Amino acid sequence: TSYMLYIILSIQKESLGCRVCKQGIDTVYELLENGATKEAIEQFLEGVCNLFDDVETKQVCKSFIDTEYDKLIKFLENSYSSEVICTLLSACDYPHPPIHSGCDACLVGFGFLEDLWSYKPTEEMIEIALQYVCNIFPSGNSRNECVAFIDREFENLIDWVDKEFPPQFMCTAVGACDFPFDPVEDGLCLFCEGAMTFIYDFFEFDEQNGAEVIAVVLDYICLIFPEGESRQMCDELIEQEAQKFIDFIEHEFPPENICILVGACESNITPVYDTECEFCEIFYQFALDMLDFEPSIEAIEHLLEYICDIFPGTLKTVCQRFVDNKWEHLLELLNEEYPADIACQVMGACVE
């Protein structure tokens, strides 16, 4: 990919200062393992700083050691790689594609922080990393804008990085990147489908903590909008249907289906029937349509738990009674993907 090409080129063009820094940090690791004193390590590091040809890098290096020695040791104690530490020290360049916008810059900065997650940093370490992440940008406007951005959003960013939220979310939530749909301008349906797609694209869930992580994501997802009517509309939808969102996302319902089932998008249900057979076929076909993704039994159970909320007026009561009476049949027939006419005959709602 083009991104890998940037990384390869950056390695090929790695500066002497970067190599010196990494070798120096690797040596410090050895000194720590051999029980070297603080004074000995400081003296060694100052010698490393003097090896840099670039005056600014030399000054940054010495200043960092003079004022942040204890924090540097914490970086080392966390076994951060020499590449990470030297990038934070500005000795090494962080490989990234060209930056054409504030969104690009934000994604690059938090992409770097994302690289730290494999080290499972503490909140204190996240604070330290945030203070130095702007050093990945060359001095000038990009770095100054980064510093101002970090200062403005510091508390939020600590929270989000600690939760391992992806860069795309953080940069959208702070307004650096735009979310393409708005619940006011585009309507709840487009917004809902866009938000669910966003969650699937950028967040990862597993079986052990799926529901818990999804709940946290939903608590924050509306921050992708600026304060005002759009965020309020988003908050109201999420708050009203939170458990449905959690259950449907956890069981990987497609965005379009989720948004129909939470009422953000219209369904194609025909609210008119004359017989139990007609109702059964309407209900069952709609259920099949909502399960067009290789669902688990648990997913089918959640669908049956919530599906009647979609039916208008008195149909909701009729629907709930039907589901309660036919629960076991419905689980089996939907799992086997029986067509509506046969399923309704099996359940006794229709007669040949």
Side-chain angles (χ1 to χ4, degrees):
T1 65
S2 58
Y3 186 72
M4 287 302 299
L5 178 61
Y6 282 108
I7 294 177
I8 293 169
L9 290 175
S10 71
I11 292 172
Q12 292 174 341
K13 297 178 180 179
E14 187 176 72
S15 68
L16 175 62
C18 180
R19 292 198 297 272
V20 168
C21 179
K22 291 196 293 185
Q23 290 171 5
I25 294 298
D26 289 338
T27 302
V28 172
Y29 274 124
E30 295 177 8
L31 292 172
L32 284 171
E33 289 176 357
N34 293 326
T37 64
K38 174 180 178 179
E39 291 75 17
I41 294 174
E42 281 186 298
Q43 186 175 5
F44 171 78
L45 287 172
E46 288 176 0
V48 171
C49 292
N50 288 326
L51 295 175
F52 292 122
D53 293 328
D54 181 72
V55 174
E56 182 182 1
T57 301
K58 185 181 296 187
Q59 290 175 341
V60 169
C61 180
K62 287 186 174 182
S63 175
F64 186 89
I65 292 168
D66 290 342
T67 62
E68 309 291 355
Y69 175 82
D70 291 338
K71 292 179 180 178
L72 174 59
I73 295 302
K74 286 186 178 180
F75 276 130
L76 295 168
E77 288 173 347
N78 271 49
S79 298
Y80 282 12
S81 68
S82 55
E83 288 86 354
V84 167
I85 295 174
C86 291
T87 301
L88 289 170
L89 286 172
S90 301
C92 296
D93 293 329
Y94 182 65
H96 58 77
I99 294 174
H100 300 297
S101 66
C103 180
D104 290 343
C106 183
L107 291 174
V108 166
F110 287 104
F112 174 74
L113 287 177
E114 193 174 31
D115 292 343
L116 300 183
W117 291 346
S118 60
Y119 299 96
K120 301 300 180 185
T122 62
E123 184 171 315
E124 182 181 7
M125 294 305 298
I126 292 170
E127 290 186 28
I128 295 170
L130 282 172
Q131 290 167 356
Y132 288 97
V133 69
C134 296
N135 289 343
I136 70 173
F137 297 106
S139 58
N141 289 338
S142 294
R143 185 179 295 183
N144 293 338
E145 290 173 4
C146 176
V147 170
F149 172 77
I150 295 293
D151 288 344
R152 185 177 70 249
E153 302 290 346
F154 191 75
E155 294 302 323
N156 282 333
L157 295 174
I158 289 175
D159 182 31
W160 298 339
V161 173
D162 183 50
K163 290 180 171 63
E164 298 189 8
F165 282 0
Q168 290 82 358
F169 167 80
M170 292 188 283
C171 293
T172 305
V174 297
C177 300
D178 293 328
F179 186 67
F181 302 106
D182 186 286
V184 173
E185 295 180 4
D186 300 310
L188 271 179
C189 184
L190 272 178
F191 152 72
C192 179
E193 291 179 357
M196 294 304 102
T197 301
F198 184 90
I199 289 173
Y200 278 136
D201 284 348
F202 298 121
F203 290 89
E204 295 182 1
F205 315 108
D206 56 45
E207 293 182 359
Q208 291 184 335
N209 62 1
E212 179 181 348
V213 173
I214 294 166
V216 172
V217 171
L218 290 174
D219 282 342
Y220 287 88
I221 192 64
C222 293
L223 294 178
I224 60 179
F225 299 105
E227 291 187 15
E229 188 177 0
S230 294
R231 185 183 294 183
Q232 181 180 352
M233 188 175 290
C234 173
D235 283 334
E236 289 173 355
L237 175 65
I238 297 297
E239 182 178 357
Q240 181 178 343
E241 305 293 355
Q243 192 57 52
K244 290 182 185 178
F245 277 116
I246 292 170
D247 291 337
F248 291 144
I249 294 171
E250 184 179 20
H251 291 92
E252 301 181 347
F253 278 68
E256 297 84 356
N257 300 13
I258 293 175
C259 295
I260 290 172
L261 290 166
V262 299
C265 299
E266 292 184 3
S267 70
N268 60 357
I269 293 175
T270 303
V272 178
Y273 72 99
D274 293 321
T275 65
E276 183 184 22
C277 178
E278 288 181 3
F279 173 79
C280 178
E281 291 184 346
I282 291 170
F283 168 90
Y284 188 89
Q285 186 57 54
F286 176 67
L288 276 182
D289 292 343
M290 294 297 100
L291 295 170
D292 57 356
F293 60 96
E294 299 184 5
S296 64
I297 286 292
E298 290 79 8
I300 298 173
E301 288 177 337
H302 282 305
L303 174 68
L304 294 178
E305 180 182 356
Y306 298 122
I307 191 171
C308 293
D309 291 343
I310 297 302
F311 286 78
T314 57
L315 268 183
K316 181 175 181 178
T317 303
V318 173
C319 174
Q320 194 59 62
R321 185 166 57 245
F322 181 82
V323 170
D324 291 342
N325 291 337
K326 309 292 185 182
W327 181 273
E328 295 300 329
H329 271 131
L330 285 168
L331 280 179
E332 180 181 354
L333 294 166
L334 288 168
N335 188 48
E336 296 295 332
E337 299 182 41
Y338 276 70
D341 56 344
I342 295 177
C344 290
Q345 289 175 20
V346 171
M347 288 186 286
C350 297
V351 180
E352 289 188 70

mmCIF file of all heavy atoms in Angstrom, residues 1-12 95-97:
data_model
loop_
_atom_site.group_PDB
_atom_site.id
_atom_site.type_symbol
_atom_site.label_atom_id
_atom_site.label_comp_id
_atom_site.label_asym_id
_atom_site.label_seq_id
_atom_site.Cartn_x
_atom_site.Cartn_y
_atom_site.Cartn_z
ATOM 1 N N THR A 1 0.838 -1.190 0.000
ATOM 2 C CA THR A 1 0.000 0.000 0.000
ATOM 3 C C THR A 1 0.876 1.244 0.000
ATOM 4 O O THR A 1 2.078 1.185 0.252
ATOM 5 C CB THR A 1 -0.892 0.028 1.246
ATOM 6 O OG1 THR A 1 -0.065 0.155 2.400
ATOM 7 C CG2 THR A 1 -1.723 -1.243 1.343
ATOM 8 N N SER A 2 0.239 2.403 -0.259
ATOM 9 C CA SER A 2 1.001 3.647 -0.280
ATOM 10 C C SER A 2 1.582 3.954 1.093
ATOM 11 O O SER A 2 2.681 4.490 1.211
ATOM 12 C CB SER A 2 0.102 4.799 -0.734
ATOM 13 O OG SER A 2 -1.007 4.926 0.129
ATOM 14 N N TYR A 3 0.827 3.587 2.161
ATOM 15 C CA TYR A 3 1.324 3.865 3.509
ATOM 16 C C TYR A 3 2.583 3.053 3.795
ATOM 17 O O TYR A 3 3.542 3.551 4.374
ATOM 18 C CB TYR A 3 0.243 3.551 4.542
ATOM 19 C CG TYR A 3 0.640 3.952 5.939
ATOM 20 C CD1 TYR A 3 0.685 5.297 6.300
ATOM 21 C CD2 TYR A 3 0.985 3.006 6.885
ATOM 22 C CE1 TYR A 3 1.055 5.682 7.569
ATOM 23 C CE2 TYR A 3 1.359 3.384 8.156
ATOM 24 C CZ TYR A 3 1.385 4.725 8.492
ATOM 25 O OH TYR A 3 1.768 5.094 9.753
ATOM 26 N N MET A 4 2.586 1.786 3.381
ATOM 27 C CA MET A 4 3.772 0.955 3.585
ATOM 28 C C MET A 4 4.954 1.523 2.817
ATOM 29 O O MET A 4 6.097 1.457 3.275
ATOM 30 C CB MET A 4 3.489 -0.483 3.138
ATOM 31 C CG MET A 4 2.583 -1.250 4.083
ATOM 32 S SD MET A 4 3.247 -1.329 5.770
ATOM 33 C CE MET A 4 4.786 -2.201 5.481
ATOM 34 N N LEU A 5 4.691 2.108 1.650
ATOM 35 C CA LEU A 5 5.773 2.711 0.871
ATOM 36 C C LEU A 5 6.412 3.849 1.649
ATOM 37 O O LEU A 5 7.639 3.997 1.664
ATOM 38 C CB LEU A 5 5.221 3.217 -0.464
ATOM 39 C CG LEU A 5 6.231 3.926 -1.383
ATOM 40 C CD1 LEU A 5 7.360 2.965 -1.758
ATOM 41 C CD2 LEU A 5 5.532 4.433 -2.643
ATOM 42 N N TYR A 6 5.574 4.658 2.322
ATOM 43 C CA TYR A 6 6.123 5.744 3.144
ATOM 44 C C TYR A 6 7.032 5.200 4.234
ATOM 45 O O TYR A 6 8.087 5.748 4.532
ATOM 46 C CB TYR A 6 4.993 6.559 3.782
ATOM 47 C CG TYR A 6 4.336 7.526 2.843
ATOM 48 C CD1 TYR A 6 3.054 7.289 2.374
ATOM 49 C CD2 TYR A 6 4.996 8.677 2.407
ATOM 50 C CE1 TYR A 6 2.437 8.167 1.494
ATOM 51 C CE2 TYR A 6 4.386 9.562 1.529
ATOM 52 C CZ TYR A 6 3.113 9.308 1.076
ATOM 53 O OH TYR A 6 2.508 10.172 0.212
ATOM 54 N N ILE A 7 6.612 4.104 4.859
ATOM 55 C CA ILE A 7 7.413 3.516 5.933
ATOM 56 C C ILE A 7 8.744 3.007 5.393
ATOM 57 O O ILE A 7 9.804 3.239 5.969
ATOM 58 C CB ILE A 7 6.636 2.375 6.615
ATOM 59 C CG1 ILE A 7 5.404 2.942 7.331
ATOM 60 C CG2 ILE A 7 7.521 1.620 7.595
ATOM 61 C CD1 ILE A 7 4.527 1.894 7.968
ATOM 62 N N ILE A 8 8.692 2.318 4.243
ATOM 63 C CA ILE A 8 9.918 1.779 3.652
ATOM 64 C C ILE A 8 10.880 2.906 3.294
ATOM 65 O O ILE A 8 12.079 2.853 3.589
ATOM 66 C CB ILE A 8 9.578 0.938 2.404
ATOM 67 C CG1 ILE A 8 8.811 -0.326 2.827
ATOM 68 C CG2 ILE A 8 10.846 0.559 1.645
ATOM 69 C CD1 ILE A 8 8.215 -1.086 1.662
ATOM 70 N N LEU A 9 10.339 3.956 2.669
ATOM 71 C CA LEU A 9 11.188 5.084 2.291
ATOM 72 C C LEU A 9 11.776 5.767 3.515
ATOM 73 O O LEU A 9 12.929 6.190 3.517
ATOM 74 C CB LEU A 9 10.376 6.094 1.466
ATOM 75 C CG LEU A 9 9.984 5.642 0.054
ATOM 76 C CD1 LEU A 9 9.078 6.680 -0.594
ATOM 77 C CD2 LEU A 9 11.227 5.412 -0.802
ATOM 78 N N SER A 10 10.978 5.858 4.582
ATOM 79 C CA SER A 10 11.469 6.523 5.788
ATOM 80 C C SER A 10 12.618 5.735 6.409
ATOM 81 O O SER A 10 13.558 6.306 6.947
ATOM 82 C CB SER A 10 10.340 6.694 6.803
ATOM 83 O OG SER A 10 9.976 5.459 7.354
ATOM 84 N N ILE A 11 12.526 4.412 6.341
ATOM 85 C CA ILE A 11 13.606 3.582 6.880
ATOM 86 C C ILE A 11 14.870 3.765 6.050
ATOM 87 O O ILE A 11 15.976 3.881 6.568
ATOM 88 C CB ILE A 11 13.173 2.105 6.904
ATOM 89 C CG1 ILE A 11 12.051 1.919 7.931
ATOM 90 C CG2 ILE A 11 14.346 1.190 7.235
ATOM 91 C CD1 ILE A 11 11.427 0.542 7.902
ATOM 92 N N GLN A 12 14.675 3.817 4.718
ATOM 93 C CA GLN A 12 15.828 3.982 3.841
ATOM 94 C C GLN A 12 16.517 5.322 4.073
ATOM 95 O O GLN A 12 17.737 5.441 3.948
ATOM 96 C CB GLN A 12 15.378 3.870 2.382
ATOM 97 C CG GLN A 12 14.918 2.460 1.996
ATOM 98 C CD GLN A 12 14.344 2.414 0.597
ATOM 99 O OE1 GLN A 12 13.965 3.446 0.043
ATOM 100 N NE2 GLN A 12 14.282 1.226 0.019
ATOM 101 N N PRO A 95 6.825 8.064 10.154
ATOM 102 C CA PRO A 95 6.434 7.948 8.743
ATOM 103 C C PRO A 95 4.935 8.131 8.558
ATOM 104 O O PRO A 95 4.135 7.496 9.237
ATOM 105 C CB PRO A 95 6.860 6.516 8.382
ATOM 106 C CG PRO A 95 6.840 5.773 9.675
ATOM 107 C CD PRO A 95 7.247 6.770 10.727
ATOM 108 N N HIS A 96 4.567 9.017 7.659
ATOM 109 C CA HIS A 96 3.144 9.230 7.414
ATOM 110 C C HIS A 96 2.942 9.805 6.017
ATOM 111 O O HIS A 96 3.850 10.409 5.441
ATOM 112 C CB HIS A 96 2.550 10.174 8.463
ATOM 113 C CG HIS A 96 3.221 11.517 8.532
ATOM 114 N ND1 HIS A 96 2.991 12.512 7.604
ATOM 115 C CD2 HIS A 96 4.119 12.023 9.414
ATOM 116 C CE1 HIS A 96 3.713 13.579 7.916
ATOM 117 N NE2 HIS A 96 4.405 13.302 9.004
ATOM 118 N N PRO A 97 1.760 9.618 5.464
ATOM 119 C CA PRO A 97 1.451 10.197 4.152
ATOM 120 C C PRO A 97 1.436 11.720 4.234
ATOM 121 O O PRO A 97 1.447 12.291 5.327
ATOM 122 C CB PRO A 97 0.046 9.644 3.849
ATOM 123 C CG PRO A 97 -0.160 8.519 4.799
ATOM 124 C CD PRO A 97 0.656 8.836 6.009
#
